[in-house]
Amino acid sequence: MRLLYLTIGLTALFAVGVVWRPAGAAWDRTFDVVLYNLPYLAAAAACVAAARRVPSERWAWWGLATALALGGIGNALRVLSSGLEGNGPVSTPAVAVSFAAYISMYVPIFVLIRTRVHRFHPSMWLDGLIGGLGSLAAGVAFVLGPYLYPAPGEPTVAAADLFPPATTVLLIGVLVAVGSILGVRLDRTLALLAVGLFFICASDIVLFALKMHDAYVDGGPLELGWLVCVVLAAAAAAGATERPVPVPGPRSSRLGWRLLALPLACIVASLVVLGTGWTHPMPPVSAWLAIGCVLAGLARIGVTFHEVRGFNQVQREARTDELTGLANRRALLQRAQQVVATATVERPAAFLLLDLDGFKEVNDSLGHSAGDELLRLIGPRLRGALRRDDVLARLGGDEFGIVLPDTGVQTAQVLAERLRALLLEPFTVTGVRLHVGVSIGVSTTPAPATTVQELLHCADVAMYSAKSAREGVHVYVPDPVTGTAGSDRLRTMEELRTALEVDDQLVVFLQPQLDLRDGSVVGAEALVRWNHPARGLLSPAHLLPAAEQAGLLRPLTDRVLELALAATARWWADRRVPVSVNLSAANVTDLDLPEKVAAALARHGLPTAALTLELVEDNLMADPERGRTVLGDLRRLGVRTSIDDYGTGYSSLAYLRHLPADELKLDRSLTADVDRDPRAAAIVEHTVALVHALGLSLVAEGVETLATSATLARLGCDVAQGYAIARPMPVDDFLVWLAASDTGLPSATLVPELSSGVGQN
């Protein structure tokens, strides 16, 4: 900034001298050679500073610094060679240096435009061509033409003398071409440089006219025209900052008065040149330039039509779901934004969120092509029941949304029931008649939802309630106390994301497992708990549904595995009690799981025998082949695997035959009444025989009474887990419990029954 002030000060000093300066050849030489050119050097220094400060534009500023420095040197050489009055011949070195200064001015122009335009569209090239040709046509016709075809009595100008104004006209053409490419929206740097260069062009043209009439004298007010450009160049350099790297944006059409103003003006100027040429003599080149400008304008019209058509197509594609042809999420959100903004209590609006039931079974049984065909049939089935202003969109997967302007809650509910009835009618897909269900959530605005986000959130909560209660349609009703849904899943999901990044919110509780033959501690299951900062300690019943909905089961399992192994490392050196960790479906099908488990064990200095991984049958059946591969790799690694909740899922004996597992865990629903229900006891007894015949061990969950444990021991179960032994407890409490188990105190009521022979096989 100091260099800018220095440039302004030196220019002001010269301006004062133009009005008043002492007479004398020595002073005139100092004034014209020194004072006039010092602003050039100060501005060049400002450009050098900008080149160092803005690396992406350094070549532009170095080029401008070179042009200014050469301009100052050329001015000095011109005055020294032509005399103080400026009437003598100009030396060749002065002409060469001045010409080099003009050439250097093109460098910053092209570099600066390149840093601002990531990719040149065909219309940009045409706009630049129109601007350049049109301005050159007008310049040649009206600036150079009067001297090439002088009026009677006017002197003839030699071709060599026309070189300076010709370069000026060329510079004007370049500036107009750049302006046509960028449009009337130049940033501060380019605007300052453009105005400055036009001052140079105007001053050059006036200078040429004065010299042709022998009226020019060095040191006059005309000199300030060039110095104004110098000051503007210094101002542009002082304000230059690093610009972000241009990022390609969506395809768009180059329309609007800011982009078309200069090209249209140049086309008009070319038509004026052609019209004037009929009555006044003009250089032929100006006519050819004007014709080229008009032809480029016609080409621009063709390109414009192509771009507009392509832009409209891209806009449609950006707002349309590719599979179904319905509106997509973006289009629905835009329409919802408009509807929410205009909804009032007297004229409310509604939103329906539809989620198909049984769609996964269609994909699994008939293939994804059948599922896609089913999704394409949803729109035509529902469209007839909707109004013209209603927007039906596919949000993703098998989820659809409908925006209903001017619709109250009762009307929306009636419509939702009608749409559900339509979807319950059979579909014909690949020649097969299919029935699918649908769960629909209904929400309204401006009450209770006041924003688009709240509207979608309320509908999502309502849809989830409809799916859970199997009621088909559910209208969102805020809780009278909190004003929100009773189970605010979306908020819980976001809070869970935060909890996974905080060290102390997620913890594990440990529940011991006892050998039913001797009462020894043979394991502990790690159960996750959430120390919620506002809601206290949350069980998996609150945590796992939110994790599943948010797609966080895999990172949650990874965290639980780390916490469980960290806890196990605290007792493993003294007691070889392994820990069990539950896997999610995402983990079971993760081919990288064995490698991750091995790395986790190594981090905590534990052998593979310290870990047992539990998984549910249903998770395995989602992708049996992939699941068997993962389990096989885990077993080869040395990690035990356990099938949890056995008896509640598919329980396919054929599948069990090929299952690479070490143990099965009987679900509590099979063990709860085993001491009172002979049928339950028979199921357990035969399951024990089957499991042992397959070389597996059997763990009984839900052991809550002494009678249950004794019966299970009699039936041959290997391991028991439940409240009769111990409730899940924090790690520190488990360490105390584990130390006490050496004295037999934790199983004081259980072990005597076993040692008396009741539980012996």
Side-chain angles (χ1 to χ4, degrees):
M1 193 61 70
R2 289 193 298 269
L3 292 172
L4 171 61
Y5 295 149
L6 177 61
T7 306
I8 295 174
L10 293 172
T11 302
L13 179 61
F14 178 83
V16 171
V18 170
V19 179
W20 176 88
R21 60 175 172 175
W27 171 254
D28 286 342
R29 185 174 296 275
T30 302
F31 185 81
D32 291 331
V33 177
V34 179
L35 290 182
Y36 176 73
N37 295 306
L38 284 178
Y40 280 81
L41 301 180
C47 293
V48 171
R52 296 174 177 175
R53 189 174 64 253
V54 187
S56 64
E57 299 178 352
R58 61 181 178 275
W59 293 114
W61 297 113
W62 277 114
L64 187 56
T66 302
L68 291 171
L70 291 175
I73 296 172
N75 290 333
L77 293 176
R78 177 181 58 80
V79 173
L80 292 175
S81 63
S82 63
L84 297 179
E85 298 299 325
N87 296 323
V90 179
S91 65
T92 300
V95 173
V97 172
S98 298
F99 178 71
Y102 270 90
I103 295 299
S104 301
M105 288 182 185
Y106 293 103
V107 175
I109 296 174
F110 292 112
V111 173
L112 290 177
I113 189 176
R114 191 63 187 89
T115 60
R116 285 154 174 78
V117 180
H118 178 76
R119 184 169 63 91
F120 283 87
H121 299 277
S123 58
M124 288 183 174
W125 292 113
L126 286 173
D127 287 343
L129 185 63
I130 292 170
L133 293 177
S135 57
L136 287 175
V140 172
F142 301 117
V143 176
L144 302 181
Y147 300 99
L148 293 173
Y149 298 93
E154 294 290 333
T156 302
V157 181
D161 293 333
L162 288 175
F163 180 76
T167 57
T168 301
V169 169
L170 181 61
L171 180 58
I172 292 175
V174 171
L175 291 175
V176 175
V178 170
S180 300
I181 291 174
L182 295 179
V184 188
R185 54 180 182 182
L186 303 180
D187 56 50
R188 177 180 179 276
T189 300
L190 280 177
L192 290 173
L193 290 179
V195 173
L197 291 175
F198 271 111
F199 265 96
I200 285 184
C201 294
S203 301
D204 283 347
I205 293 173
V206 174
L207 170 65
F208 175 73
L210 292 176
K211 283 192 172 184
M212 290 300 98
H213 295 84
D214 294 327
Y216 171 72
V217 178
D218 271 335
L222 180 61
E223 309 286 351
L224 294 175
W226 287 277
L227 291 186
V228 168
C229 172
V230 170
V231 171
L232 292 176
T241 57
E242 188 67 55
R243 296 173 57 85
V245 178
V247 178
R251 183 178 176 183
S252 61
S253 176
R254 283 176 50 82
L255 293 176
W257 73 269
R258 290 179 177 273
L259 291 171
L260 300 180
L262 279 177
L264 287 176
C266 290
I267 292 174
V268 172
S270 297
L271 294 176
V272 171
V273 168
L274 292 175
T276 306
W278 287 100
T279 57
H280 296 80
M282 285 189 180
V285 67
S286 64
W288 288 112
L289 290 171
I291 293 172
C293 177
V294 173
L295 292 177
L298 294 176
R300 176 66 164 94
I301 294 174
V303 171
T304 299
F305 279 119
H306 177 74
E307 285 188 348
V308 169
R309 185 171 61 251
F311 174 71
N312 291 334
Q313 181 179 353
V314 170
Q315 286 289 88
R316 287 193 299 270
E317 292 175 354
R319 295 168 53 86
T320 304
D321 177 63
E322 183 179 1
L323 176 64
T324 63
L326 300 174
N328 60 12
R329 177 181 290 270
R330 175 183 299 174
L332 181 134
L333 291 178
Q334 290 177 352
R335 178 57 176 155
Q337 190 71 46
Q338 299 170 357
V339 169
V340 170
T342 57
T344 62
V345 176
E346 293 76 18
R347 300 184 64 183
F351 176 72
L352 307 183
L353 183 63
L354 295 75
D355 187 86
L356 300 183
D357 300 328
F359 180 73
K360 182 177 182 300
E361 285 71 16
V362 175
N363 275 336
D364 292 343
S365 58
L366 299 180
H368 289 281
S369 60
D372 292 344
E373 184 178 347
L374 174 60
L375 293 175
R376 284 191 288 266
L377 295 175
I378 298 297
R381 177 74 62 89
L382 300 181
R383 176 53 62 188
L386 301 176
R387 300 167 300 181
R388 177 178 299 178
D389 293 337
D390 299 337
V391 175
L392 169 63
R394 180 184 177 223
L395 303 181
D398 59 343
E399 199 170 66
F400 295 81
I402 304 176
V403 176
L404 304 171
D406 298 331
T407 304
V409 61
Q410 294 181 348
T411 304
Q413 185 174 8
V414 171
L415 176 62
E417 294 286 359
R418 182 182 177 188
L419 296 178
R420 180 171 181 268
L422 288 173
L423 293 179
L424 289 178
E425 296 177 4
F427 291 88
T428 301
V429 177
T430 63
V432 179
R433 284 170 59 87
L434 299 176
H435 288 82
V436 295
V438 63
S439 299
I440 304 178
V442 182
S443 61
T444 56
T445 184
T450 58
T451 66
V452 173
Q453 290 73 20
E454 291 179 359
L455 188 67
L456 270 63
H457 162 66
C458 294
D460 185 69
V461 172
M463 185 274 294
Y464 181 77
S465 298
K467 190 176 289 288
S468 300
R470 299 184 183 275
E471 58 183 349
V473 176
H474 186 86
V475 178
Y476 177 86
V477 178
D479 187 274
V481 177
T482 63
T484 60
S487 57
D488 194 349
R489 293 186 307 109
L490 295 186
R491 184 177 63 185
T492 302
M493 287 158 54
E494 292 306 313
E495 291 173 344
L496 180 57
R497 295 182 193 275
T498 302
L500 287 170
E501 301 174 357
V502 179
D503 293 335
D504 59 349
Q505 285 198 21
L506 294 177
V507 297
V508 292
F509 277 34
L510 299 166
Q511 187 173 32
Q513 299 172 339
L514 292 188
D515 192 317
L516 282 173
R517 290 163 296 197
D518 58 14
S520 62
V521 182
V522 294
E525 183 176 1
L527 303 169
V528 65
R529 298 290 188 270
W530 184 4
N531 274 323
H532 195 282
R535 299 158 64 185
L537 190 65
L538 300 181
S539 68
H542 295 86
L543 172 60
L544 296 181
E548 182 177 7
Q549 288 293 318
L552 298 175
L553 282 177
R554 182 178 292 183
L556 177 61
T557 304
D558 294 342
R559 172 64 68 84
V560 173
L561 178 63
E562 289 291 330
L563 294 173
L565 293 179
T568 307
R570 297 176 62 181
W571 71 71
W572 186 258
D574 300 323
R575 295 290 301 270
R576 303 290 174 147
V577 177
V579 68
S580 298
V581 176
N582 289 280
L583 296 179
S584 67
N587 295 111
V588 174
T589 56
D590 182 7
L591 296 178
D592 295 329
L593 179 64
E595 182 179 349
K596 295 177 183 177
V597 170
L601 288 167
R603 279 194 299 273
H604 295 282
L606 294 172
T608 54
L611 178 64
T612 299
L613 294 176
E614 299 183 6
L615 55 151
V616 181
E617 285 181 273
D618 292 358
N619 292 343
L620 280 171
M621 294 304 295
D623 192 342
E625 294 301 324
R626 198 180 184 98
R628 279 200 293 265
T629 299
V630 173
L631 290 184
D633 291 343
L634 287 171
R635 291 195 70 192
R636 283 188 289 273
L637 184 66
V639 176
R640 285 172 51 84
T641 56
S642 174
I643 306 302
D644 197 10
D645 297 339
Y646 183 76
T648 62
Y650 293 93
S651 299
S652 170
L653 297 181
Y655 179 69
L656 186 62
R657 180 167 62 106
H658 301 288
L659 187 64
D662 296 285
E663 70 177 27
L664 296 185
K665 296 187 73 174
L666 273 179
D667 186 71
R668 63 183 65 249
S669 62
L670 297 177
T671 61
D673 299 326
V674 71
D675 58 319
R676 300 186 301 274
D677 185 352
R679 295 171 65 89
I683 293 174
V684 171
E685 183 177 12
H686 285 85
T687 302
V688 169
L690 174 64
V691 169
H692 286 170
L694 293 174
L696 309 178
S697 61
L698 189 66
V699 179
E701 292 185 300
V703 180
E704 300 186 1
T705 66
L706 180 60
T708 301
S709 66
T711 303
L712 291 171
R714 177 176 56 81
L715 294 175
C717 286
D718 301 299
V719 179
Q721 176 182 340
Y723 287 178
I725 301 168
R727 291 176 177 270
M729 64 191 81
V731 176
D732 291 338
D733 293 348
F734 177 78
L735 291 174
V736 175
W737 187 94
L738 189 60
S741 68
D742 293 335
T743 65
L745 294 178
S747 56
T749 60
L750 183 65
V751 174
E753 293 290 335
L754 295 174
S755 61
S756 65
V758 175
Q760 301 300 320
N761 289 331

